[in-house]
Amino acid sequence: MDGSAQPSAQPPVTVGAGGPDGGAAAGGGGEAFGDRSLSQGLSVLVGLALCVTMLGLGCAVELSQLGQQLRRPVGLLLALLGQFVAMPLLAFLLALIFALDEVAAVAVLLCGCCPGGNLSNLMSVLVDGDMNLSIIMTASSTLLALFLMPLCLWIYSRHWINTAVVQLLPLGAVSLTLGSTLLPIGLGVLIRYRHPRAADLLVKISLWSLLVTLVILFILTGTMLGPDLMAHIPASVYAIAVLMPLAGYALGYGLATVFKMPPHCRRTVSLETGCQNVQLCTAILKLTFPPELIGSMYMFPLLYALFQSAEAGLFVLLYKMYGREGHKQDVLGEEEDTDISYKKLKEEEVADTSYGTVTTEEHNSIQMEPTQKAL
């Protein structure tokens, strides 16, 4: 066990003090988060945001699509490999490389073990991706998270097992929070089945709520808790928030390439792998951990959301500038094949009727005119 485990004998308020990466800094801001009214307000906000997000996800799922994916479960397999093999392992390795203390490591692991988020669905549209695949991967990873997310947290937190924050890791509460998301998802699927137009509206509302919620959380934590909160976060955590989504996008693209998927599906899987459900991560950190224990690491999923959005936006911009021409050529190539077949068919028709042409004159009179053939 590494040296960062030694301070775990202290009370939870001082967890991580003297860690290799400034454990006291990671736990800093605990007093501010201990404010009861502020803590309750943030809990209500993240809880409502999570419900709206899951409702929108359910509204985007059609039962016919689920049946198709069960017959050909490629999306389910990619969601499993991307969200619960690649991303948790990536989060674990980054926590080790940057020698994070136990509090920061748990926050990073929790984000890495989360299922896919709704941001990927929006970005997939902007890069001409496979929207059905994107939605199925997001929904599948959300359902799989009920069992696999606590398992991944248990496996990868073993490195910090002797620390107080890991000993108090509320896997039961994590499972309960995940289970509570099934209700709005199921309600959304029912709304899609019975009222498709209302479902389309709710999907748009959920996507906008994603942006609005993140902005509100940044404003609340920045203004009410002050700039000292951001200063308490180690520089290595900022570095991980930048590198983790970027590496996730690259891993997803490589995974889709291994499966020999077409380019538009590769872009979709790339975005699905790198985009995490930060609302769920924020809710778990806020609703299951004592504020004085998790401290400023409550901000990590918000930082991740900021950089995953910025990097995905850069991905979209580069595609619009350079990649879209290739997509248009592929589409035009398919149309040209169809046009060639049509032209050949017309030529054959002309050849068959080359012995004469039929012309019509006044009052339904018909006259045959010989056609001169070129020698």
Side-chain angles (χ1 to χ4, degrees):
M1 205 62 62
D2 62 355
S4 62
Q6 298 301 323
S8 61
Q10 299 177 7
V13 176
T14 58
V15 165
D21 193 32
E31 294 180 0
F33 276 101
D35 182 84
R36 186 175 182 81
S37 60
L38 177 60
S39 178
Q40 290 179 347
L42 290 175
S43 298
V44 172
L45 178 61
V46 297
L48 289 175
L50 181 61
C51 288
V52 173
T53 300
M54 294 298 101
L55 179 64
L57 176 59
C59 288
V61 176
E62 294 185 5
L63 295 178
S64 59
Q65 295 176 357
L66 289 176
Q68 294 175 1
Q69 290 299 319
L70 288 177
R71 289 190 292 270
R72 296 183 59 189
V74 177
L76 181 65
L77 179 60
L78 290 172
L80 172 65
L81 294 176
Q83 298 296 343
F84 302 109
V85 176
M87 291 304 291
L89 179 59
L90 174 63
F92 175 72
L93 293 177
L94 287 174
L96 290 182
I97 292 172
F98 286 91
L100 297 184
D101 65 272
E102 60 271 18
V103 178
V106 167
V108 171
L109 283 175
L110 187 60
C111 190
C113 295
C114 277
N118 285 28
L119 177 66
S120 59
N121 306 142
L122 176 61
M123 292 299 177
S124 294
V125 175
L126 298 178
V127 297
D128 298 319
D130 190 331
M131 190 61 181
N132 289 335
L133 176 62
S134 177
I135 293 173
I136 289 299
M137 285 187 66
T138 303
S140 300
S141 63
T142 302
L143 296 177
L144 290 171
L146 184 63
F147 308 101
L148 295 181
M149 187 175 176
L151 177 62
C152 290
L153 286 172
W154 181 81
I155 292 174
Y156 288 108
S157 65
R158 298 298 90 191
H159 183 77
W160 299 273
I161 188 60
N162 290 334
T163 62
V165 69
V166 173
Q167 290 175 352
L168 296 174
L169 186 63
L171 295 179
V174 170
S175 300
L176 182 62
T177 304
L178 288 167
S180 66
T181 64
L182 296 180
L183 181 60
I185 291 176
L187 179 60
V189 173
L190 181 62
I191 294 175
R192 164 62 64 182
Y193 179 72
R194 298 206 172 171
H195 308 284
R197 291 185 178 179
D200 292 336
L201 178 61
L202 287 173
V203 169
K204 294 179 181 178
I205 292 175
S206 69
L207 291 175
W208 278 105
S209 71
L210 169 64
L211 175 62
V212 172
T213 302
L214 292 176
V215 171
I216 292 176
L217 286 174
F218 270 116
I219 293 175
L220 285 178
T221 53
T223 59
M224 299 182 70
L225 301 181
D228 290 341
L229 175 65
M230 304 299 290
H232 281 122
I233 300 177
S236 59
V237 175
Y238 282 96
I240 291 178
V242 174
L243 294 174
M244 191 168 159
L246 190 62
Y249 295 142
L251 286 172
Y253 198 90
L255 184 63
T257 303
V258 170
F259 277 79
K260 298 180 179 180
M261 303 189 76
H264 71 290
C265 290
R266 295 179 188 179
R267 296 191 295 270
T268 302
V269 176
S270 173
L271 290 168
E272 278 295 326
T273 305
C275 290
Q276 301 296 88
N277 191 335
V278 291
Q279 299 100 312
L280 178 60
C281 184
T282 303
I284 291 175
L285 285 174
K286 195 72 190 68
L287 302 177
T288 61
F289 284 96
E292 65 275 7
L293 180 64
I294 203 63
S296 60
M297 283 302 101
Y298 162 76
M299 290 293 295
F300 178 76
L302 301 181
L303 292 175
Y304 188 95
L306 175 64
F307 289 112
Q308 82 171 4
S309 302
E311 291 167 6
L314 182 61
F315 185 6
V316 172
L317 180 61
L318 291 174
Y319 171 74
K320 297 291 186 183
M321 293 175 61
Y322 302 106
R324 200 163 191 175
E325 292 301 322
H327 176 73
K328 289 181 179 179
Q329 289 176 2
D330 292 339
V331 175
L332 289 175
E334 295 177 359
E335 293 178 353
E336 286 175 1
D337 292 340
T338 305
D339 292 341
I340 290 173
S341 300
Y342 178 73
K343 289 176 182 177
K344 287 182 178 179
L345 179 61
K346 295 299 292 181
E347 289 173 358
E348 291 175 359
E349 290 179 355
V350 171
D352 292 338
T353 60
S354 61
Y355 294 102
T357 58
V358 180
T359 61
T360 60
E361 296 181 356
E362 297 179 357
H363 305 293
N364 298 326
S365 62
I366 301 176
Q367 179 181 357
M368 294 293 296
E369 295 181 356
T371 302
Q372 295 182 355
K373 295 183 179 180
L375 296 177

